[in-house]
Amino acid sequence: MKARITITLKPGVLDPQGKAIEGALHALGFGGVDDVRQGKYIEVEIGESDPDRAKAEVERMCEELLANTVIENYSYELEAA
Amino acid sequence: MKARITITLKPGVLDPQGKAIEGALHALGFGGVDDVRQGKYIEVEIGESDPDRAKAEVERMCEELLANTVIENYSYELEAA
């Protein structure tokens, strides 16, 4: 199966990268930009065909490595590869 | 409106970060992981309510700053803020 994982900073956590992008967009003339938040997008091919087992594996990957769950949230979509 | 932008490396472009994550997942015992690709996920609040104008603005942001279109693809979703 293929997992599409999105990892974002929790609301309230300072996002210096987002601020830097926001400043650059304003400098390029995108005056209407109010807020920018940057996160990670990770695609993982898993050699597991059972959706429930694949789901459990993705969540364990996020909890153990991919996301810092103190300051980050994660969400994911699973699809047949 | 709110734009949810996903930026990924084009197929065939070497992804050292993805390889590093893949190695770390294997080291943690996730043997079933075949391939990992890492990209960026960016949320942008745009002070534009007209969907067509917001669409044009997001594409311009991606083309001019957010994505390196030589090696990266971008996709996005727009929703009312």
Side-chain angles (χ1 to χ4, degrees):
Chain A
M1 299 195 79
K2 183 174 202 173
R4 299 176 186 279
I5 302 164
T6 302
I7 298 164
T8 53
L9 287 170
K10 290 184 175 178
V13 175
L14 195 62
D15 180 5
Q17 283 182 298
K19 285 293 171 218
I21 294 171
E22 189 178 329
L25 286 172
H26 285 164
L28 284 172
F30 295 98
V33 169
D34 298 329
D35 187 36
V36 178
R37 303 281 287 177
Q38 169 159 332
K40 290 173 282 190
Y41 171 75
I42 301 173
E43 289 178 356
V44 182
E45 300 268 355
I46 307 170
E48 175 61 69
S49 51
D50 174 68
D52 290 335
R53 278 204 296 264
K55 187 174 179 296
E57 204 157 308
V58 169
E59 290 194 5
R60 207 159 60 84
M61 286 180 201
C62 291
E63 296 282 337
E64 290 187 23
L65 178 73
L66 303 179
N68 173 350
T69 51
V70 173
I71 59 168
E72 291 175 328
N73 290 321
Y74 63 85
S75 59
Y76 60 90
E77 293 164 17
L78 270 172
E79 60 187 57
Chain B
M1 298 196 78
K2 183 174 201 173
R4 298 175 186 281
I5 302 164
T6 303
I7 298 164
T8 52
L9 287 169
K10 291 184 175 180
V13 175
L14 195 62
D15 180 5
Q17 282 184 298
K19 283 295 169 214
I21 293 170
E22 189 178 329
L25 287 172
H26 285 163
L28 283 172
F30 295 99
V33 169
D34 298 328
D35 187 37
V36 178
R37 303 279 288 178
Q38 170 158 332
K40 289 174 281 191
Y41 171 76
I42 301 174
E43 289 178 356
V44 182
E45 300 268 355
I46 307 170
E48 174 60 69
S49 52
D50 173 69
D52 290 335
R53 278 204 295 266
K55 187 174 181 293
E57 204 158 308
V58 169
E59 291 194 6
R60 208 159 60 84
M61 286 179 201
C62 290
E63 296 282 336
E64 290 186 22
L65 179 73
L66 303 178
N68 173 350
T69 51
V70 172
I71 60 167
E72 292 175 328
N73 290 320
Y74 64 84
S75 60
Y76 60 90
E77 293 164 17
L78 270 173
E79 60 186 60

